[in-house]
Amino acid sequence: MHPTSPTTRQPDRSAPTIPVVVLAGFLGSGKTTLLNHLLAHRGGTRIGVVVNDFGTIEIDAMAVAGQLGDSMVSLGGGCLCCAVDGSELDAYLEKLSAPAHRIDVIVIEASGLAEPQELIRMLMASENPAIRYGGTVEVVDAAEFDATRARHPETDRHLAVADLVVLNKTDRIDAAERTRIEAELAAVCAPGTPVVAVDHGRVDPELLFDRRPWTEPRGQLSFEDLLAGEAADDEDGHAGHVHARYESVEFVSEQAMNPRRFIDFLDRRPAGLYRIKGYVYFGVPGHEERHEVHAVGRFLRFATAPWPRGAARLTQLVLIGSDMDGAGLLRELDACREPQPRQLSPESMWGVLRYAARPVREEDAAPDDTCADEPEQSY
């Protein structure tokens, strides 16, 4: 049965959709610690959080909010947390995505016993036009990896659907053990799934969502200030090291990109490239609009929209990862430039449209396209 949102709303084509990221992992893997880290380092980004767990929930770094039961509470800066079961997911997403909350991203912290595949299915089937599936992050306890797999045989199945794996608590294992676990993860996960090794859940939020600068007056000590202060104390002055673990590469082209070569580049992206975001200009007849690209690990999605009035037609990309060959990535993207895009046929866009949020138009669909009304995801 496909869930539907409580009310039917007409899509607002001018409003950006809100990415919904699934944060999964077994009990004790460090999901809540990672979530609190994201909240403490989110800048001005408004995060909606859905906590899917059993019974009464207490989040350590959210002690300022008190005990969370089966109700929704509003935290400073727009963080909203709910305790729900799966059947209520659409109802809470409907509330979180209401324009009044101005939420930028929603994170679903799945129960340690939840099936991430089911949450993914529900998000993909959701009829809420304000949200979009933003990928699944699986948190793994490095110190308990073998014990967890023995206790939960479904571990491998969960890892197989992850777009990004966070190998947490690496401070509790030595280099040889980490190498062994990373090799086993590579054998279980889908080919190309990146693995980010961290301790205390300190993953850079930029790998999952854009952090916005604060633009509102901040008078009293806010909830984020409290979280940031706690994080600084807990990390003993090493908070800056989070960003030092990653590097970013920027690519800008006033020349159009060849859609086939660009999709080939995305399909071959290396495991160390965790995140891609930006806008692409293809300039193919009938497809001159702006194509927003968003990738988290293996997850890949395009969204199309008209160019803002007066905006230059160009490609702007940011690539974030570790151990990347930045110069090599730029050379590959340079090779994707297309000097004569208007001579390309509409069929050259088929690869892009497979990952597009909008339905594929009948005149663009490939003859063997059996799911033109549902975008294919990068799995």
Side-chain angles (χ1 to χ4, degrees):
M1 182 176 65
H2 290 247
T4 58
S5 48
T7 59
T8 301
R9 291 184 292 163
Q10 293 300 315
D12 179 0
R13 300 299 182 185
S14 64
T17 53
I18 302 171
V20 181
V21 178
V22 175
L23 182 61
F26 287 99
L27 296 169
S29 61
K31 297 189 304 298
T32 299
T33 301
L34 190 153
L35 176 59
N36 289 332
H37 175 79
L38 294 179
L39 291 171
H41 296 84
R42 59 192 165 87
T45 302
R46 292 179 177 269
I47 306 176
V49 180
V50 176
V51 178
N52 171 213
D53 217 321
F54 298 94
T56 302
I57 300 168
E58 181 176 0
I59 301 179
D60 294 340
M62 292 184 181
V64 67
Q67 193 83 358
L68 295 183
D70 294 329
S71 62
M72 178 185 295
V73 296
S74 178
L75 307 179
C79 294
L80 303 173
C81 303
C82 332
V84 303
D85 60 38
S87 65
E88 298 172 303
L89 182 59
D90 259 341
Y92 281 102
L93 291 176
E94 181 81 13
K95 294 179 181 178
L96 288 170
S97 61
H101 296 310
R102 296 183 294 160
I103 293 294
D104 298 307
V105 60
I106 297 172
V107 178
I108 298 178
E109 182 187 353
S111 159
L113 302 177
E115 286 287 345
Q117 300 97 316
E118 180 63 15
L119 288 172
I120 295 170
R121 185 194 68 79
M122 294 177 70
L123 290 172
M124 297 293 290
S126 175
E127 296 181 359
N128 184 344
I131 65 168
R132 56 181 168 86
Y133 174 56
T136 294
V137 179
E138 182 78 15
V139 184
V140 174
D141 183 341
E144 299 292 332
F145 179 67
D146 294 327
T148 299
R149 290 182 79 190
R151 189 166 57 249
H152 300 287
E154 62 271 28
T155 297
D156 290 4
R157 185 171 70 248
H158 293 188
L159 287 166
V161 301
D163 298 298
L164 179 69
V165 175
V166 174
L167 183 60
N168 194 28
K169 306 183 185 180
T170 53
D171 57 317
R172 296 176 55 188
I173 60 174
D174 58 27
E177 181 71 355
R178 172 177 161 178
T179 299
R180 179 188 70 84
I181 294 175
E182 289 178 339
E184 294 198 30
L185 288 172
V188 173
C189 297
T193 303
V195 177
V196 181
V198 303
D199 58 80
H200 299 91
R202 296 192 290 243
V203 64
D204 193 333
E206 289 287 347
L207 298 185
L208 305 180
F209 55 78
D210 294 336
R211 278 176 298 186
R212 303 180 185 276
W214 281 103
T215 57
E216 300 174 2
R218 301 176 68 185
Q220 301 181 19
L221 188 66
S222 71
F223 178 66
E224 177 164 335
D225 293 326
L226 294 174
L227 281 178
E230 291 181 10
D233 293 339
D234 293 342
E235 296 176 16
D236 193 26
H238 294 284
H241 292 187
V242 172
H243 311 289
R245 298 173 185 172
Y246 310 107
E247 58 183 308
S248 65
V249 175
E250 296 184 2
F251 174 82
V252 178
S253 175
E254 295 182 359
Q255 195 172 67
M257 305 293 280
N258 182 288
R260 286 185 172 132
R261 291 199 293 269
F262 187 66
I263 284 293
D264 185 56
F265 165 79
L266 294 176
D267 286 342
R268 294 182 294 101
R269 59 193 185 274
L273 179 54
Y274 305 136
R275 177 125 190 259
I276 304 172
K277 57 181 180 177
Y279 302 100
V280 187
Y281 173 57
F282 295 111
V284 175
H287 300 277
E288 294 91 347
E289 64 267 58
R290 186 177 71 176
H291 290 75
E292 179 183 358
V293 61
H294 173 74
V296 174
R298 293 184 305 118
F299 175 76
L300 173 63
R301 178 186 180 276
F302 283 93
T304 59
W307 290 92
R309 181 171 298 179
R313 270 58 170 169
L314 48 77
T315 295
Q316 297 175 294
L317 298 172
V318 176
L319 299 88
I320 303 173
S322 64
D323 299 321
M324 298 190 309
D325 177 8
L329 291 173
L330 291 177
R331 284 194 298 270
E332 290 189 53
L333 286 169
D334 278 332
C336 294
R337 298 178 195 261
E338 175 54 58
Q340 297 178 310
R342 298 204 61 79
Q343 293 188 14
L344 298 180
S345 67
E347 289 81 2
S348 65
M349 291 291 295
W350 286 347
V352 174
L353 296 179
R354 288 175 58 220
Y355 301 106
R358 69 179 186 185
V360 178
R361 296 174 300 184
E362 183 177 351
E363 61 267 29
D364 296 325
D368 60 347
D369 191 346
T370 58
C371 56
D373 60 345
E374 183 173 340
E376 181 176 336
Q377 304 301 328
S378 179
Y379 284 120

